[in-house]
Amino acid sequence: ALPNITADAPAANAFTMSAVCATASARVTQSGELIRAGANRFTGDFSNQEYGVSGQVSITVDGRAMTAIMRGGGGSARLSLNR
């Protein structure tokens, strides 16, 4: 299942995000805070309360593509989205 992602920008260069991934047997919620680190780059922290995991996230936007890299809890993940 694709994640449901929401974002809010309480300040010009800061964002809060929440992502929910759910299947018939599980539901996982991640939340995070990001700051603008460049013209097309955002960095920050994320947390997952269900599993007690937290870490760092880096998001890069290039035209119609977005890449998110997450590191924490002893592992890492890379997610690429294209329009």
Side-chain angles (χ1 to χ4, degrees):
L2 293 175
N4 180 12
I5 300 172
T6 59
D8 185 32
N13 292 318
F15 303 86
T16 58
M17 297 185 72
S18 176
V20 178
C21 296
T23 66
S25 61
R27 175 185 168 99
V28 177
T29 302
Q30 308 265 128
S31 62
E33 296 182 3
L34 301 169
I35 59 169
R36 185 180 299 274
N40 300 348
R41 190 165 169 264
F42 304 87
T43 60
D45 300 308
F46 75 90
S47 64
N48 176 296
Q49 302 251 337
E50 291 102 335
Y51 294 96
V53 174
S54 62
Q56 294 77 43
V57 60
S58 174
I59 297 175
T60 304
V61 178
D62 184 10
R64 297 177 66 156
M66 182 189 88
T67 301
I69 299 172
M70 300 170 74
R71 292 184 178 88
S76 65
R78 178 186 176 103
L79 172 68
S80 296
L81 300 172
N82 296 292
R83 273 184 136 189

